Every structure is written in structure tokens, then in C-alpha cells.
Amino acid sequence: MAGAAEVTQTEGTNSAQDALKEAISASALGVLREVFGYPHFRGLQQDVVEHVSGGGDALVLMPTGGGKSLCYQVPAIVRQNAGLGTTVVVSPLIALMHDQVGALREAGVSADFLNSTLDSAQTQAVEAALRRGEVTLLYVAPERLLTPRLLALLDFLHERGELALFAIDEAHCVSQWGHDFRPEYRGLAELIGRYSGVPRVALTATADALTREDIVERLGLEQARRFVASFDRPNIHYTIVEKNDPTRQLLRFITQEHAGESGIVYAQSRRRVDELAETLRAHGLPALAYHAGMDASQRQKHQDRFLREEGLVMVATIAFGMGIDKPDVRFVAHIDAPKNIEGYYQETGRAGRDGAPAHAWMAYGLQDVVQQRRMIDDSPAQDAFKQVLRDKLDALLALAETMGCRRVRLLQYFGETPPGGPAWRCGHCDNCTDPPVPWDASEAARKLISCMLRVHQASGLAFGAGHLIDILRGQAGPKVLQHGHERLSTFGIGADLSEVQWRSVLRQLVAIDAVQVSPGEFRTLEPGPAARAVLRGETSVVLRAAQAAPAGHQPGARGGRSARGRPGTRAPQAGKPEDLALDAEAQVRLAALKHWRAEVARAHQLPAFVIFHDSTLRALAAQAPQHLEGLSSISGIGQRKLDAYGPDLLAVMAGRAPEGSA
Ligand code: ADP
Ligand code: ZN
């Protein structure tokens, strides 16, 4: 009966039902425009909002930046306006509740949170407001929700018919299969029995089928309608470069393409995070570190600064990121390859939530393959589990090595058919804008494996990549001479290829198991199970020719598609393209507006983007409206913000001092 809910929803033959649906639809759009100041719903938002506002259960799968929050915030307001009471939002992210509630209040919505950061007087005040029916959205952590005290309060609201909706954010936390299982989420099942009749909406950005079914089962959503958005993030430009001098490549990427912009750099280990942050700072970049080895208060401080200040670079392990809803992260860089595509997609997804152009950049090399393989082999996990990890790593390697469109690979991995089929070219990834030239490396691969065998026969030892490449290229360094390897028949047979080219041959061979990393302390290499097939010419090895353009070069523009249907979404260029598009006067206005926004944000103890998004300020600077009516047509200015900030905005744009209504 999975489709039951859908059928009753779409077959609106009953005219009373039609009228109701129409009223809900109008009211939802009204809320979007008046409260949030946005002219249109995005993607599936409208369907979700109408379904949930009308009291339907829903499971919502949308990528990061897809706009999940509005999927429950708008229904919460619609239902409160209809006298149905409070919406309870369950979220694991206590550290972010303050900002989430702050953002709603800025828009004039009555919102509160209950968590351990409140003292008892504050808690009592929120509880009293709840009893009086004054709270439209209440944010709580799951462990809090299940306390007898809060349950009693919810019982009270429920009896009076004032419990409008449960929204369960980050719903994958309920599943053991998700990457972020939280045992507290298991307790949520209790709500289902206890508050029957109260609609539920569960939301997540985690795509995989196993997790999805787990959520449905755990949260009793069998009858819920499912909304699955495309996982494509059209405004993100994907680039994967060969790693040769990673720190320098990263520096060049940031300074040439994203100077002054906010971004995240992911690295594998804590030590590397610390070192890299240090190096970036030494080069004049405002970089902060974040990893689980730091003490909690320091970590929190860095997270707060990243959210509140503009243009910071967060260098972090994967411990950083869940729930970071900063909309204007312009780039996410991986200096080490992640473990799998799920991780890659999730981490890169933190770029460009505002729909403006953003960049996912990764440097990937032989070391990554070797290290990740080793980590899996050395882990104490069971063989079957290790095999799953290996397969997932292989899929990531295939993404890195592919000569086809990166976006196609990503979408296919998540079970989606790309808009133009498997041969589609998105026009907005490195392989599309600058197609690599295929190079048949089968001959080189044979040379490499023979060389490896000769070396082993001659000295009974296995060696690392550097040594093998020296022999192939005929470089008689001290180590080669020490072992007499200059006398091997394979000495110098690969002088026609550069070291970088040899490394990519080797990397590919490791990826296809023709070469394996030997167990033990030294990362020596030996022929793997697939070596024979390569030697016999049964497996051909086709590589990307080393790119002509330097790594981290400028990506081209993406034709056709654009985020939010906005024309001219461009790939990031040096500096800030969007600012550069403004004329000189507009740029002065933009600078003044940003300055004003920073002051207001500080006074309200909120991140600047909560006051206004960059895109809103840019539109203001470009159009420079002279009157309040002109302001309200700009996306992101709802009624409340118009009242609160309108006169100030006009003053700031005219070069006058604001009246200080903030
Ligand atoms: P998610 O939780 O799915 O990652 P959010 O709810 O944080 O996404 O939304 C991402 C950004 O997009 C937010 O800054 C939000 O204000 C903005 N946004 C969402 N829906 C719309 C819309 N219909 N029009 C304009 N901006 C929107
Ligand atoms: Zn592409």
C-alpha cells in the first residue's frame, strides 16, 4: 500500500477538497512571499509544503541546499494561522538552534528552542509561551523531547488540538545504516503512538535506499508520501586534479579563484589539518582549524567565527560540517581523497547552498589510493565488510579517473538517470569544459609490471614507487646504484615518460588491482591479482593524458542550465564575479550594505547571512530602489524585514547614516 497516500492526494474529485487545496496553496505562497520574501518555491518545495500543510505525512529527500527548512517552516506557519498550534522540530544540532530560531525571529516568526543551553528561568519562559499557544516553531533535541516534563507539556497541547506538526530534521540519524546514527533518535518511535493524528514530516539529504527504508520503518512513515528531489547540484562546478604538489596547488586554487571567499578544506588527519591551516595563514589566508582532537570550546569558537565572519577558510577533518547551513560557502576543497562517494558528495554539498556558483575541488594522487587501501586492509573489520568498503573506494577512484562527465558519474552512483542519459555532458565540470585526452597506457603498464618483477627477482625485495620510477626513467641515483639496479634490463625503458605520468600509470594499476601495496611498515609495491591480465594484454589501461593546463586552472562557464532558474550562473572566476558585475557606484553601495549588515548581525548576535543573504544585498546594490515599495520586490525581503530594516537600507544606499532601527 505504499502508494495509497499518493492516490488519495492526487485524485481530488471532491470539490470541497479542491477548494481546501486551493486555499492551502494560496496561503502557502502568501507565507513564502510575505514572511520569507521569496517570490517562488524551489523544485519540490511547493508540493511538499501543500501536502504537509494539509496534514499529510511526508518523507523528504533533498540534497543539501535544496531548501528543506521551508518544507516544514511554511506549513508550520500555515497551520498556526489556521489555529492548529505549534510545530515541533526535532534536530540533533543544539549548537545551531540559536541561529535557526534567530533567523525565524528576524523574519517575524514566533520561534523558540529548548535545550541544555537555557537556564531554568529561560526554560520556564518558553514553556509558558508554549502553553499560551504563542510558539509557532519549537526546536528541540531528541533526548530533550522524550523527557517526562516536555512530554507532559506536549500532551497538554495535544489534548487541546494545538500540536500542529512534527518535523524530524536530519532523519537519517535514526538509521544505523546512515553515516551519523544517533541512538537518541530511536526514541522518536514513541511519539508516533502517543500523538497519533499529528502529521509528521521527516527530512534528510542522505540518499541511499537502505537508510531510506530504515527511516520509514523507524518513524512509522509507511503511509507517508515520498518526495525525492534530484541530487544534482547544478551550481556546483566539479574539478578533480592530479596531486603533485598539493599545498601549492591548493594555495593557487584559493588565491586565484576564490580570494576573499568562504570555503572549507577537508584533510585526512588532525595533524595535516593543523599544519595546513598554519601554512595557509603563513600565506596570508584567514584559515581556521577544526578537528575532533581540539577541545570543544575552541572548536565551537572556530565554527562560530566561520559562520559569522566573511571570507574565512575552515581547514577541517570530516568532523566538521553536519548542519552547517552557511549559504555562501563558495568552495569545498579536498586535499586528500575521501573514502567514498557518499562522503565526497556530502562534503562538497556544503558549497553553494544559496544557489550561486560554487566550486568542488579535489586533489587526488597515488598516495591517496595506497593509503586508503591500506587503511581498509589493516582495519579489524570482517572480510565482507571490508569488501563493501573496497567497492565504495573503487567507485570513488573511478570518479576521479573518469574521462566522462563527473556529474553523470555522481548521479548514476545515486541511482539517478542523468538528464541526457549516460553520455550526457553537463558542461559544468572539468571533464566537460576541458575534456582530457585519452592515452593508451597499456604498453607503459606492461613495462612497469615487468620492471617490478625484475627488481624483485634481482634483489628479493619489493620497493616503493619512487625507486621503481627512477629505474624506469634511467635515473641512476644512490639507491639505484646501491642495489645495482642500473644493470637491470628494464633500466631506462621508460625514459620517454615523466615522473608524473609514471605516477598516474601506477595509480591506475593500483586502482585496478594490477599492483598492490604490500602489508608491512613500508609502502612497497608488488604485482597484484590483475597483473597477469595486463602483462598478457588482456586488460588495456587507458589513462587521462596529463592535462596540458596547469592543475587548478580556471573552469569555463556552464551553458544552459542554472541554479534556481537564474540565467547566467557562472563558474567562479578570480575575485568575486558577482561583485565585479556591478558598476562602480553599485559596488560602493554593496560595500556600505555589507558594513551595515555586519553591525546589525553583531548587535543581534547572529550570523550576517541571517540578516540578509549576499544575493539580497547584491540585488539591492544593483537596483538601488529609492522607496520602500521597491525594496519589497527584492528576493529575501519579507514584510518583517521591510518594516524593521527598510528605512535603514534606503539610507545606507543613499550614503546617509542609518537611523539605527536595528
Ligand atoms: P537544506 O536544509 O535543504 O540544505 P536550506 O533549507 O538551508 O537547505 O536552504 C538553503 C538556502 O536556500 C537557504 O539559505 C534558504 O534561505 C534558501 N532558499 C530555500 N528555499 C528558497 C526559495 N524558494 N527561494 C529562495 N531561496 C530559498
Ligand atoms: Zn560534466
Side-chain angles (χ1 to χ4, degrees):
M1 288 297 286
E6 274 166 71
V7 175
T8 47
Q9 272 303 311
T10 47
E11 284 182 0
T13 46
N14 179 327
S15 67
Q17 225 177 29
D18 279 354
L20 178 66
K21 272 182 74 175
E22 237 167 74
I24 289 173
S25 171
S27 141
L29 194 60
V31 167
L32 181 77
R33 291 182 175 161
E34 263 183 60
V35 178
F36 296 95
Y38 296 140
H40 311 289
F41 282 112
R42 266 193 210 162
L44 292 177
Q45 273 178 342
Q46 182 167 2
D47 294 342
V48 180
V49 164
E50 288 177 8
H51 179 72
V52 175
S53 299
D57 291 344
L59 172 64
V60 178
L61 295 109
M62 264 188 198
T64 307
K68 284 185 287 298
S69 318
L70 289 185
C71 290
Y72 58 84
Q73 289 170 347
V74 174
I77 299 166
V78 170
R79 288 176 76 75
Q80 171 74 293
N81 290 346
L84 293 169
T86 301
T87 288
V88 177
V89 183
V90 183
S91 160
L93 307 164
I94 292 180
L96 297 174
M97 282 180 191
H98 172 266
D99 290 354
Q100 287 168 333
V101 163
L104 284 164
R105 289 188 178 168
E106 284 290 326
V109 182
S110 154
D112 270 301
F113 61 82
L114 281 174
N115 67 34
S116 47
T117 65
L118 298 186
D119 62 30
S120 75
Q122 290 168 319
T123 303
Q124 281 170 18
V126 174
E127 289 170 346
L130 276 167
R131 261 190 224 98
R132 291 194 301 270
E134 289 170 3
V135 181
T136 301
L137 284 121
L138 175 74
Y139 282 74
V140 288
E143 60 273 21
R144 179 68 170 228
L145 185 61
L146 300 170
T147 58
R149 178 161 163 169
L150 188 52
L151 285 175
L153 183 50
L154 296 183
D155 288 347
F156 169 82
L157 294 177
H158 189 220
E159 275 159 30
R160 299 170 23 145
E162 290 183 1
L163 210 42
L165 173 68
F166 282 108
I168 297 138
D169 206 2
E170 312 286 354
H172 59 275
C173 291
V174 79
S175 169
Q176 219 148 12
W177 304 112
H179 44 80
D180 198 37
F181 173 53
R182 309 240 170 163
E184 318 86 78
Y185 261 67
R186 283 292 160 88
L188 293 179
E190 188 180 337
L191 292 178
I192 298 154
R194 195 172 179 119
Y195 303 114
S196 60
V198 179
R200 295 184 292 276
V201 50
L203 310 101
T204 176
T206 297
D208 82 87
L210 210 53
T211 310
R212 199 181 298 182
E213 295 318 314
D214 221 15
I215 295 172
V216 166
E217 191 184 323
R218 304 273 169 195
L219 298 177
L221 292 170
E222 289 82 1
Q223 302 298 315
R225 189 161 159 197
R226 296 183 186 196
F227 298 87
V228 183
S230 165
F231 274 70
D232 187 18
R233 297 287 310 279
N235 59 315
I236 298 184
H237 185 287
Y238 297 95
T239 299
I240 302 181
V241 303
E242 261 179 57
K243 196 191 276 193
N244 34 61
D245 184 351
T247 310
R248 201 173 46 84
Q249 287 172 295
L250 178 71
L251 274 167
R252 189 164 54 195
F253 168 68
I254 299 177
T255 54
Q256 292 186 358
E257 300 186 34
H258 295 283
E261 299 184 329
S262 299
I264 305 173
V265 177
Y266 282 109
Q268 199 60 251
S269 69
R270 298 170 183 184
R271 209 184 82 201
R272 197 141 154 81
V273 164
D274 288 331
E275 288 169 359
L276 205 53
E278 189 79 50
T279 309
L280 294 189
R281 280 196 295 273
H283 283 81
L285 292 170
L288 300 172
Y290 188 106
H291 58 68
M294 292 161 53
D295 77 74
S297 72
Q298 184 72 359
R299 240 183 305 155
Q300 184 65 37
K301 212 164 87 191
H302 283 187
Q303 172 169 317
D304 283 349
R305 281 193 59 194
F306 182 70
L307 291 178
R308 280 167 170 67
E309 294 174 32
E310 279 189 60
L312 294 187
V313 178
M314 183 65 104
V315 185
T317 59
I318 53 169
F320 179 71
M322 191 174 57
I324 295 299
D325 53 4
K326 185 176 171 61
D328 55 356
V329 174
R330 294 271 68 88
F331 67 91
V332 170
H334 282 91
I335 190 112
D336 299 311
K339 289 186 178 58
N340 50 46
I341 292 186
E342 285 90 343
Y344 174 76
Y345 178 79
Q346 213 192 17
E347 285 138 32
T348 55
R350 293 175 184 136
R353 291 171 88 125
D354 53 8
H359 208 154
W361 181 93
M362 171 172 131
Y364 142 92
L366 178 60
Q367 263 323 84
D368 290 302
V369 187
V370 170
Q371 218 154 323
Q372 300 271 17
R373 278 277 164 88
R374 274 282 300 271
M375 257 152 59
I376 296 172
D377 291 342
D378 296 351
S379 81
Q382 298 201 321
D383 283 347
F385 190 65
K386 282 186 184 178
Q387 194 51 48
V388 173
L389 298 182
R390 265 187 223 116
D391 291 347
K392 289 190 174 228
L393 175 61
D394 285 349
L396 180 92
L397 301 183
L399 171 72
E401 299 283 358
T402 185
M403 284 186 253
C405 173
R406 310 269 190 209
R407 198 176 306 274
V408 166
R409 283 282 180 152
L410 278 173
L411 291 177
Q412 285 179 328
Y413 184 80
F414 292 115
E416 247 181 80
T417 312
W424 187 54
R425 289 277 174 179
C426 78
H428 200 47
C429 70
D430 54 351
N431 284 355
C432 284
T433 55
D434 187 15
V437 184
W439 167 50
D440 187 343
S442 308
E443 175 68 29
R446 281 195 288 275
K447 286 182 184 169
L448 198 152
I449 295 171
S450 332
C451 181
M452 199 176 271
L453 291 168
R454 287 288 134 72
V455 170
H456 197 261
Q457 279 164 5
S459 42
L461 292 169
F463 290 86
H467 188 72
L468 288 168
I469 293 173
D470 279 350
I471 299 171
L472 285 161
R473 302 194 63 230
Q475 311 268 334
K479 195 168 169 191
V480 170
L481 294 173
Q482 181 199 337
H483 292 277
H485 288 160
E486 79 285 4
R487 294 192 300 271
L488 293 175
S489 62
T490 52
F491 184 76
I493 57 169
D496 53 328
L497 299 186
S498 69
E499 184 184 339
V500 170
Q501 285 171 311
W502 276 118
R503 281 193 183 266
S504 52
V505 176
L506 200 47
R507 194 180 64 225
Q508 180 83 349
L509 290 178
V510 175
I512 64 172
D513 269 335
V515 169
Q516 63 188 18
V517 187
S518 34
E521 188 188 345
F522 303 106
R523 285 176 188 169
T524 57
L525 300 167
E526 54 193 38
R532 208 169 267 262
V534 173
L535 280 177
R536 287 194 191 137
E538 291 159 10
T539 303
S540 58
V541 180
V542 179
L543 290 178
R544 314 159 57 91
Q547 282 144 322
H553 62 95
Q554 306 265 332
R558 178 183 194 184
R561 311 183 58 204
S562 67
R564 269 199 236 168
R566 240 192 312 144
T569 297
R570 290 185 301 154
Q573 308 264 317
K576 293 190 182 185
E578 311 260 330
D579 294 0
L580 293 179
L582 302 172
D583 65 27
E585 280 179 34
Q587 289 199 40
V588 171
R589 283 192 289 272
L590 181 60
L593 286 167
K594 284 194 173 175
H595 181 75
W596 168 85
R597 180 180 67 175
E599 307 256 285
V600 177
R602 202 165 308 128
H604 294 202
Q605 295 184 11
L606 287 169
F609 62 78
V610 165
I611 309 301
F612 285 116
H613 279 186
D614 281 359
S615 56
T616 303
L617 295 192
R618 273 197 296 270
L620 278 169
Q623 296 173 25
Q626 311 276 319
H627 308 286
L628 287 177
E629 307 82 77
L631 291 178
S632 61
S633 68
I634 286 176
S635 176
I637 307 186
Q639 192 55 47
R640 166 63 179 259
K641 288 188 180 178
L642 184 68
D643 295 343
Y645 303 128
D648 274 13
L649 290 174
L650 293 176
V652 170
M653 283 189 290
R656 288 182 274 118
E659 285 148 37
S661 56

